[in-house]
Structures are given as C-alpha cells and as structure tokens.
Amino acid sequence: VQLQASGGGLVQAGGSLRLSCVVSGTEISANAMGWIRQPPGQQHEEVAGISTIGTTTYADSVKGRFTISRDNAENTVYLQMNDVRPEDAAVYSCALHWGPTVTTGRRAFGRGTLVTVSS
C-alpha cells in the first residue's frame, strides 16, 4: 500500500490550504483514515481521523478550523485547513488504519507534505 500526500506549501496566517492523500494498493472504503503532523523539532501529533462511516475526530488545537473528509471512489482523504496559524506549520502525513475506526492500532503511513505558515 502507498499513501501520497500533497497540497502543502506556503500559506499566510489566517489563510486556507487543502491537503490530499491518494492511496494505492488497497481500497480505503474498509479503512479508517487519519492525518498526523510533525512540527520542526517536535514529536508527531494526531490531527484528525475519519472512520469508514464518516465519524470524525480532531485534535483540540485544530477543532473548528480543520475538516477531514474522504472520497472512497477516488481512494482519497482530504484535510481542509482554514484559519491557519503559525503553530500549524509541520510536515503533514496521512495514515491508513487497518480497520474501520481510528482506534485500530495498526496503521500504514505515507510520505508527508510540508506546510509552512508566514505570519
């Protein structure tokens, strides 16, 4: 299975960005999906997750600003980032859970996409 994130770049604080993650090698319809991020010099942080039935979870730091969604027909998961803040700067990666919910422990990760925020 391969996961390829894209859509990162430079965004002004307060602006918006939409990340995409295309999955190949398996169909995501049976899998929960998620986004994680790693700010420079920091540990990974869970950002958002979405189950196979569309139940979503968010880190408190992004609630109300970020929206995760999925398009099973396109085998793609998205992260809409609004009102981006300097602390959102990070490498964002997507994750495929080997099960229907984000509590499924085993995951596959893809290469990330860099988000840089200018203040």
Side-chain angles (χ1 to χ4, degrees), residues 65-112:
R65 301 186 298 119
F66 291 10
T67 303
I68 187 171
S69 61
R70 61 191 298 153
D71 184 337
N72 292 340
E74 296 294 327
N75 237 33
T76 301
V77 63
Y78 302 97
L79 185 69
Q80 178 66 42
M81 305 168 61
N82 296 330
D83 188 23
V84 176
R85 301 170 181 170
E87 57 264 36
D88 295 321
V91 174
Y92 285 74
S93 303
C94 59
L96 178 146
H97 295 254
W98 292 110
T101 68
V102 298
T103 57
T104 305
R106 293 180 60 223
R107 295 186 286 183
F109 297 92
R111 296 184 65 178

Side-chain angles (χ1 to χ4, degrees), residues 1-4 21-26 75 94 96 108-111:
V1 62
Q2 290 189 326
L3 299 84
Q4 182 62 59
C21 176
V22 179
V23 179
S24 58
T26 192
N75 237 33
C94 59
L96 178 146
F109 297 92
R111 296 184 65 178

